[in-house]
Amino acid sequence: MKKRKVSLLLAIAMVATMFLAGCGGKADVASSKPAAGDNVFRLVTNDEQNTCDVQKTTEYYTIGLNIYERLVETATNTDGSSALVPGLAESWEISDDGLVYTFHLRKGVKFHNGEEFKADDIVYTFERMLKPETNALNQDFITAIKGATDMMEEKTDKLAGLEVVDDYTIKVTLESPFAPFLANIATPGVSIYNRKFTEAAGDQFGLTPETTCGTGPFKLSKWELNSETQIDAFDGYWKGRPALDAVNWKTVKDADTQRMMFENGEIDEFDCDNAPSQIAYFAESEKYKDWLKIGNRVGIYYYSINEKIEPFDDVRVRKAFQMSIDKQQLLDTLYNGRGTVQSGIMPPGLIGHNPDLPEIKYDPDAAKALMAEAGLPDGFEMDICMVTDNPQTLQLNEMVQSMLAKVGIKANIIQMDQASWYATRAEGLLGSYTTSWSADFNDPDNFFYTFFAPQNTIKRSFNYNNEQASQKIVEARAMTDPDERVELYRQLEKQIIQEDAAWVPMYSKQHIFVVNPRIQNYVVMWNGWSGNMYYNMSIDNSKAPAK
């Protein structure tokens, strides 16, 4: 499950029912518990995935990360940062002009159906993603390839930028230099599919275990909607069979039931993202405090500012808004202080993060002075817009509403249905809103271009009006010197956030799991897409706590 946009997930999560097999209650849940000594990692999810075709989702990636693989992978370092490492491509070269990538593929890699992975599968995967009839959602990750636009516009059915040299070598030519290209193709949405299997599955690909196939260490074995999902170890995996026999998820929407199951030993992991109110309980418990596994999510929460809505066309008012929110208090109250207050765009862990960025301090007196200077000594009225039925977002908005009132800003919380919220935002007309963004790929482009490129700033209802800065964001994509790129992004960060006050950076949260000691080699992933990758994890039942 992709966790990078928390408010989005809460807004569009599919309705899931509590796992109650048969007519019983707790006893029936307990009856599904694997036998003692099992080698199955037992989990829960409160957000049912809708497909295992990662070309057709932007949020449900946990299964895909474990059953598919990519040419390049993103590994999590011990300090929580990330690095690009070989995947299905064991090595590659990049031409001096940054246009041609030559990938040398691993030999002997098998798909779950027994087919050998070859260069033609890459051609098939990329072309399938770009064809309009696929209705793919992740095309942006490969649109830098030469001819991609022509395919999307149905001017051709072949991707010009791909050249199969032989079964184990492929050249990829870009339209123009694109520095984040390797990071883009290391995302779950660019997982490689087998041509023969996927063509046979047709529009059912990724919808059942029988119509799902990858090269990853696990294969999909069970998927019962609103009930249970399981992936089993793939005996033919090229790195060697996983230590785990399986990973199993029960669909349990209620956080209290999830906690009960964890404390009863029925599941091995409690994801505190599902219930932030439980963080203090586990962190302060003598029994559980040493069970916490904590990672810094490479992401940031923020409040938007629409510069086309008065009085936010005045930079002094935007800066006053920034200084009127006590971010540390919000972090302490809502998440037990588990995170760090931010003052920019690039969160910790992202390439280019600037730890020395000047702090945007909570300063209500300075905010009042700026509003008076802007001709608003008595404050002003504004809207904070949100999707209905989102209690966590409502709680945050109500706390911010109270903070803003102290400086004379009257904030009206406007709740809208999902369709209206997104439609209004896409038109550039939505008032301020809060959400989060976690890295799809570890490159500053994923934050700057997503929010402040000319076409994107309108779609997100920012309407950022510094054309020079927006154009530099576009130009940064083609820079081939990594140090120069980072320096430019740091300059842009100061300009956009600190000088132009184009949004309100809030905080970056920690991703906290409580994990049964029987689970070994547990690593919290650097990203915000998903739960975890399970290949390196194992189980030692001798370390399981006594009942």
Side-chain angles (χ1 to χ4, degrees):
M1 176 177 64
K2 187 174 186 180
K3 307 230 179 165
R4 64 183 173 89
K5 305 177 186 70
V6 174
S7 62
L8 172 62
L9 284 179
L10 291 170
I12 67 173
M14 296 177 65
V15 177
T17 57
M18 190 181 303
F19 180 73
L20 295 174
C23 60
K26 177 181 175 183
D28 287 320
V29 173
S31 69
S32 67
K33 178 183 174 183
D38 70 272
N39 195 32
V40 177
F41 193 176
R42 304 159 304 176
L43 305 168
V44 292
T45 179
N46 65 352
D47 191 15
E48 185 76 50
Q49 65 188 40
N50 58 14
T51 181
C52 288
D53 183 348
V54 290
Q55 293 185 1
K56 296 183 179 182
T57 181
T58 60
E59 52 189 305
Y60 300 107
Y61 285 153
T62 296
I63 301 295
L65 277 170
N66 289 279
I67 64 176
Y68 306 119
E69 292 178 295
R70 292 128 299 269
L71 288 177
V72 181
E73 299 286 359
T74 307
T76 303
N77 297 322
T78 54
D79 63 358
S81 63
S82 69
L84 294 175
V85 299
L88 291 174
E90 60 184 6
S91 64
W92 54 84
E93 297 98 38
I94 307 172
S95 62
D96 291 340
D97 60 7
L99 288 175
V100 181
Y101 291 68
T102 303
F103 293 97
H104 303 282
L105 310 181
R106 296 187 187 278
K107 297 179 181 179
V109 175
K110 295 295 182 66
F111 284 93
H112 300 155
N113 65 338
E115 291 286 314
E116 185 181 3
F117 159 67
K118 293 182 179 179
D120 179 64
D121 295 307
I122 300 168
V123 174
Y124 172 75
T125 298
F126 287 8
E127 290 185 344
R128 178 183 188 267
M129 190 186 301
L130 294 169
K131 290 178 179 178
E133 61 263 30
T134 303
N135 295 313
L137 302 177
N138 283 316
Q139 295 172 324
D140 286 351
F141 292 134
I142 61 170
T143 51
I145 299 174
K146 185 177 180 179
T149 300
D150 286 344
M151 280 207 71
M152 290 188 293
E153 294 177 354
E154 298 185 276
K155 295 178 180 178
T156 179
D157 60 357
K158 299 294 181 184
L159 186 52
L162 299 184
E163 177 190 349
V164 174
V165 178
D166 57 45
D167 283 346
Y168 306 105
T169 311
I170 188 169
K171 288 186 177 181
V172 181
T173 301
L174 309 185
E175 289 280 3
S176 59
F178 181 53
F181 181 66
L182 288 177
N184 270 238
I185 64 172
T187 61
V190 195
S191 298
I192 303 301
Y193 294 163
N194 175 248
R195 178 187 291 272
K196 180 179 178 180
F197 182 95
T198 311
E199 285 183 338
D203 61 6
Q204 295 302 300
F205 180 78
L207 297 182
T208 68
E210 295 75 23
T211 58
T212 304
C213 176
T215 62
F218 296 90
K219 55 186 179 181
L220 186 64
S221 61
K222 180 183 293 187
W223 185 9
E224 298 173 0
L225 287 176
N226 299 322
S227 177
E228 183 177 10
T229 306
Q230 184 163 305
I231 55 177
D232 290 350
F234 174 39
D235 292 334
Y237 184 52
W238 61 272
K239 284 187 184 178
R241 186 188 188 279
L244 296 171
D245 289 337
V247 183
N248 178 277
W249 290 265
K250 298 292 190 296
T251 301
V252 181
K253 189 173 179 65
D254 180 67
D256 289 335
T257 303
Q258 291 185 17
R259 176 178 144 181
M260 175 196 74
M261 294 174 69
F262 179 77
E263 293 195 279
N264 286 346
E266 298 164 27
I267 57 175
D268 296 309
E269 172 198 275
F270 183 84
D271 184 351
C272 291
D273 265 17
N274 295 339
S277 62
Q278 301 296 323
I279 293 174
Y281 170 80
F282 285 111
E284 297 167 9
S285 165
E286 285 300 316
K287 178 177 181 180
Y288 295 118
K289 65 181 182 180
D290 294 330
W291 293 20
L292 267 59
K293 302 292 182 181
I294 302 172
N296 291 314
R297 189 188 296 283
V298 183
I300 189 169
Y301 280 72
Y302 64 89
Y303 268 90
S304 72
I305 299 175
N306 192 332
E307 295 186 23
K308 279 197 172 181
I309 297 179
E310 294 182 353
F312 289 118
D313 54 341
D314 190 318
V315 68
R316 294 168 295 186
V317 176
R318 299 197 298 271
K319 288 184 175 181
F321 185 30
Q322 285 182 332
M323 293 187 289
S324 298
I325 299 176
D326 188 341
K327 296 177 280 190
Q328 187 63 55
Q329 182 182 338
L330 294 171
L331 193 60
D332 291 342
T333 303
L334 299 175
Y335 305 109
N336 197 39
R338 299 285 181 159
T340 53
V341 168
Q342 299 301 319
S343 294
I345 297 173
M346 297 184 285
L350 186 74
I351 293 170
H353 170 69
N354 185 1
D356 300 319
L357 195 66
E359 179 185 359
I360 299 175
K361 295 184 178 180
Y362 171 57
D363 193 337
D365 291 334
K368 290 179 183 178
L370 278 172
M371 287 192 293
E373 186 181 321
L376 298 168
D378 299 322
F380 62 93
E381 193 168 344
M382 64 172 290
D383 291 341
I384 296 177
C385 303
M386 61 172 286
V387 174
T388 55
D389 299 323
N390 194 329
Q392 288 186 18
T393 300
L394 180 59
Q395 183 183 11
L396 170 60
N397 283 336
E398 288 176 340
M399 292 182 67
V400 169
Q401 181 185 50
S402 178
M403 293 173 182
L404 295 175
K406 293 177 182 179
V407 300
I409 301 174
K410 181 183 178 183
N412 305 306
I413 299 175
I414 309 297
Q415 299 200 46
M416 309 165 65
D417 66 84
Q418 174 190 323
S420 298
W421 191 94
Y422 280 106
T424 306
R425 189 178 78 162
E427 293 174 359
L429 302 176
L430 192 67
S432 292
Y433 60 88
T434 184
T435 187
S436 67
W437 184 268
S438 293
D440 287 308
F441 53 93
N442 197 338
D443 189 279
D445 179 79
N446 190 222
F447 287 75
F448 285 87
Y449 193 84
T450 298
F451 294 123
F452 299 107
Q455 68 273 29
N456 292 337
T457 186
I458 298 171
K459 293 177 182 178
R460 293 186 178 274
S461 284
F462 293 172
N463 291 300
Y464 179 52
N465 64 5
N466 188 327
E467 294 182 6
Q468 184 180 18
S470 294
Q471 186 56 40
K472 285 183 179 180
I473 290 171
V474 176
E475 293 171 359
R477 308 186 105 198
M479 294 175 64
T480 56
D481 186 310
D483 294 331
E484 288 183 9
R485 283 187 78 234
V486 165
E487 180 56 33
L488 175 57
Y489 281 125
R490 288 184 171 182
Q491 293 172 10
L492 286 167
E493 184 172 44
K494 289 182 180 179
Q495 178 70 53
I496 295 168
I497 303 303
Q498 307 238 333
E499 296 178 27
D500 295 340
W503 74 348
V504 184
M506 298 285 283
Y507 39 73
S508 296
K509 282 172 46 184
Q510 291 178 324
H511 198 173
I512 303 172
F513 298 88
V514 193
V515 182
N516 190 306
R518 81 186 193 116
I519 304 301
Q520 304 293 294
N521 304 316
Y522 188 99
V523 176
V524 179
M525 288 192 68
W526 69 276
N527 61 69
W529 315 313
S530 62
N532 272 299
M533 296 179 76
Y534 302 104
Y535 177 69
N536 291 317
M537 297 185 191
S538 60
I539 289 175
D540 184 347
N541 284 300
S542 70
K543 297 185 181 298
K547 297 293 185 180

